[in-house]
Amino acid sequence: MSGVGKRLLTAAAVTAVLGSLTAATPASAAEPIDWQPCADAPGVDCGTVTVPIDWAHPDRGTASIALARRKATDPQARIGSILMDPGGPGGAGAGEVKAGWTLSAEITERFDTVGFDPRGVGDSTQIKCGLDELIADYPQVPRNQAEFEQLAAYNRNLGESCRRLTGPPAEFGDTKSVARDMDVIRAALGEAKLTYYGVSYGTLMGQQYAELFPDKVRALVLDSNMDHSQVTAWEFIKSETQSLQAEFGEFAAWCNRTPSCALHGRDVSEVTRDLQDKAARGELTDPRSGDPITPLTLASIIQSNFYGPSWDRLASVFKSFADGGGASARLRADIPVNYVIPSVFCNDWRLPVHSFAELETYRRLAAALAPDVKVNSLGWTAVTGCIGWPERTANPQHPLQVHGAPPLLMLSSRHDPATPYAWSQTAARQSGSTLLTYDGWGHGAYFKKSSCVTKAADDYLITGKLPVKGTHCAAVEPGTAQAAVAGPKPPSTIGF
């Protein structure tokens, strides 16, 4: 299978605060945004801000950051602007807002909703990589040292093409630089302090903003948090995989108690392990394309259907696979592939893997921990995507330390397939933030049809009042009438 095909199925894981880089221009001097109607989104305004490519050396040039704004629906009740990011890494917040991504009516009445495309992404100054290098075949799960070196060569060639075609912006996709860009946006919006909602990888942006600019924080809701204090590749893969296996147990239990599940009455774990065994022997293929379905592909199919979650669809597809039906594994073909992932992730995480033997040890240990899912495909792809990557890690891991900011609100589902609950627990403990737990399933707790979660987050954004520490919100059972009610529109970004 080609590199693009594999990424369609699987793309989408020191010091307390590294020394403050010199800003090119104080954010307070940022020019107001020249808002104009967006040509491709009626009722939405588009604009840009300009930031240094390299905050430590402003003479290296500038980058343009794209913004999209939906004005508050009740101007008389307007509080200000809320900046939003959908995660990724590489999710286009401006594009998502133009497409209708929104928080609740209570928030959109009182705030202008502003999405931004982080540096390198979407309509901002882009990081561009070579198509030939991108679509080159490579071993996603190396079987020996030679294939490990092929994987490293693929990543190195891809990274060198990004640098060649993009120039300096390719070296500065790190999240600390994005956090500095966010302060320029805040000032350009005319806000004395930042109000922000970030989900998934967008939480790392909010965390690092609070570290760098604690006196500029009004209210930050960080939903499904990254834990940037993990040190090793194995720690990262292990935590991701354990979380995914635990959610598989939740899926199997739902199937056992739900007659409409396509695998109801069957041993879901046995069916899945049989499919994994066939995939490992090369005997499982996509009925439509003929492409081989590998164990990592199966893990990716499982994971992508846990975001919602879409357990009913996953059960139907696995039943079709097991019974020889005609369903296709291309369940994620409608999700955009984010080619800036290594330019961001490898700039933010130093998770070295030195040899095939080391990587194979991690794979075997993960499979032993997670006999159904084998490995968390997102975590595996993130770690292996940095093997051989040519750029330095400019923003390596460190424990989250926030001093002098008002209290932050963190949200997390108890069963999250992408950013494990333990990550939010760690980030909250390190920063002293309040963690609100949604005792249900899926990624992005705010969008899980829980009025308990939504009201707590909205009250905080509007008034600054936090829920009581240790608050839990009840799960909304998938497939019920409550799960089907309309609510805030989640972003389409799949990833961290």
Side-chain angles (χ1 to χ4, degrees):
M1 182 185 289
S2 69
V4 164
K6 291 173 181 173
R7 286 179 183 267
L8 282 169
L9 288 166
T10 61
V14 181
T15 57
V17 179
L18 303 183
S20 180
L21 301 178
T22 303
T25 305
S28 59
E31 295 184 3
I33 300 160
D34 179 21
W35 293 110
Q36 299 293 332
C38 298
D40 55 349
V44 183
D45 299 323
C46 286
T48 62
V49 298
T50 300
V51 299
I53 291 171
D54 179 357
W55 277 94
H57 301 94
D59 57 338
R60 296 192 70 180
T62 60
S64 176
I65 306 299
L67 308 170
R69 175 186 70 175
R70 291 182 182 269
K71 291 184 179 179
T73 59
D74 185 352
Q76 299 303 315
R78 182 181 181 276
I79 296 171
S81 299
I82 181 168
L83 189 65
M84 295 169 53
D85 182 87
E96 292 282 0
V97 167
K98 287 193 288 184
W101 180 37
T102 184
L103 300 182
S104 72
E106 286 71 21
I107 297 302
T108 57
E109 285 176 359
R110 295 169 173 82
F111 290 91
D112 295 346
T113 299
V114 180
F116 74 106
D117 293 351
R119 53 173 58 213
V121 176
D123 290 332
S124 295
T125 298
Q126 291 187 349
I127 294 174
K128 299 179 180 179
C129 305
L131 178 61
D132 287 345
E133 289 82 2
L134 184 64
I135 66 175
D137 199 14
Y138 66 100
Q140 209 170 26
V141 183
R143 294 170 296 181
N144 49 51
Q145 182 63 27
E147 289 194 353
F148 178 88
E149 291 169 2
Q150 291 173 20
L151 171 62
Y154 169 85
N155 290 331
R156 183 168 54 253
N157 291 339
L158 179 60
E160 289 172 349
S161 79
C162 303
R163 183 193 300 165
R164 182 179 68 252
L165 295 173
T166 305
E171 303 175 43
F172 297 97
D174 64 283
T175 296
K176 180 174 276 189
S177 293
V178 172
R180 292 184 172 278
D181 299 344
M182 290 166 59
D183 200 52
V184 174
I185 297 170
R186 172 201 59 77
L189 290 170
E191 302 291 344
K193 297 191 175 186
L194 180 69
T195 303
Y196 175 75
Y197 172 86
V199 59
S200 201
Y201 213 79
T203 64
L204 188 58
M205 300 173 189
Q207 291 173 15
Q208 298 206 323
Y209 184 91
E211 286 184 317
L212 290 169
F213 305 104
D215 59 331
K216 300 297 183 184
V217 170
R218 178 185 171 274
L220 307 186
V221 172
L222 307 180
D223 187 351
S224 309
N225 280 261
M226 300 297 294
D227 173 12
H228 201 224
S229 67
Q230 297 173 94
V231 177
T232 67
W234 170 237
E235 184 180 4
F236 191 90
I237 292 173
K238 177 184 178 183
S239 62
E240 284 272 75
T241 300
Q242 285 179 316
S243 179
L244 190 64
Q245 176 65 29
E247 185 159 353
F248 182 91
E250 294 291 311
F251 161 64
W254 170 84
C255 207
N256 287 338
R257 68 175 179 264
T258 306
S260 63
C261 172
L263 294 175
H264 183 67
R266 299 172 70 171
D267 187 325
V268 177
S269 180
E270 182 179 351
V271 169
T272 303
R273 295 185 195 192
D274 285 345
L275 292 175
Q276 288 281 12
D277 290 343
K278 288 181 180 179
R281 294 193 300 266
E283 298 173 1
L284 195 62
T285 60
D286 184 321
R288 295 185 183 177
S289 69
D291 288 337
I293 298 175
T294 68
L296 191 62
T297 299
L298 281 179
S300 178
I301 293 170
I302 292 169
Q303 182 161 21
S304 64
N305 281 278
F306 282 179
Y307 276 72
S310 301
W311 289 344
D312 52 349
R313 181 171 65 168
L314 177 62
S316 296
V317 169
F318 272 22
K319 181 179 186 299
S320 179
F321 284 171
D323 297 345
S328 174
R330 294 186 180 275
L331 299 177
R332 296 183 62 184
D334 59 339
I335 298 171
V337 179
N338 189 342
Y339 295 114
V340 306
I341 286 177
S343 294
V344 177
F345 188 86
C346 304
N347 232 321
D348 285 338
W349 300 80
R350 183 179 293 137
L351 300 169
V353 181
H354 304 91
S355 66
F356 164 72
E358 181 181 352
L359 185 63
E360 177 65 4
T361 297
Y362 299 159
R363 188 193 68 77
R364 290 178 180 274
L365 288 171
L369 286 171
D372 297 296
V373 302
K374 301 301 183 186
V375 73
N376 183 300
S377 59
L378 184 62
W380 178 272
T381 304
V383 168
T384 59
C386 295
I387 295 171
W389 190 255
E391 304 295 350
R392 78 196 195 291
T393 303
N395 181 37
Q397 306 95 293
H398 64 272
L400 175 59
Q401 295 191 10
V402 178
H403 302 290
L408 312 182
L409 176 59
M410 294 182 174
L411 312 177
S412 180
S413 297
R414 183 66 183 84
H415 306 285
D416 188 314
T419 54
Y421 179 57
W423 290 7
S424 285
Q425 289 179 303
T426 298
R429 183 175 63 252
Q430 291 173 350
S431 62
S433 302
T434 293
L435 174 60
L436 176 69
T437 301
Y438 168 60
D439 285 329
W441 310 272
H443 189 51
Y446 186 88
F447 303 100
K448 299 310 175 200
K449 309 299 192 301
S450 166
S451 58
C452 170
V453 174
T454 304
K455 185 178 187 306
D458 289 354
D459 286 348
Y460 167 73
L461 287 169
I462 293 168
T463 70
K465 180 182 178 181
L466 287 162
V468 175
K469 282 199 172 186
T471 296
H472 285 243
C473 291
V476 176
E477 182 80 357
T480 62
Q482 183 182 357
V485 301
K489 182 182 184 298
S492 63
T493 301
I494 294 292
F496 294 112

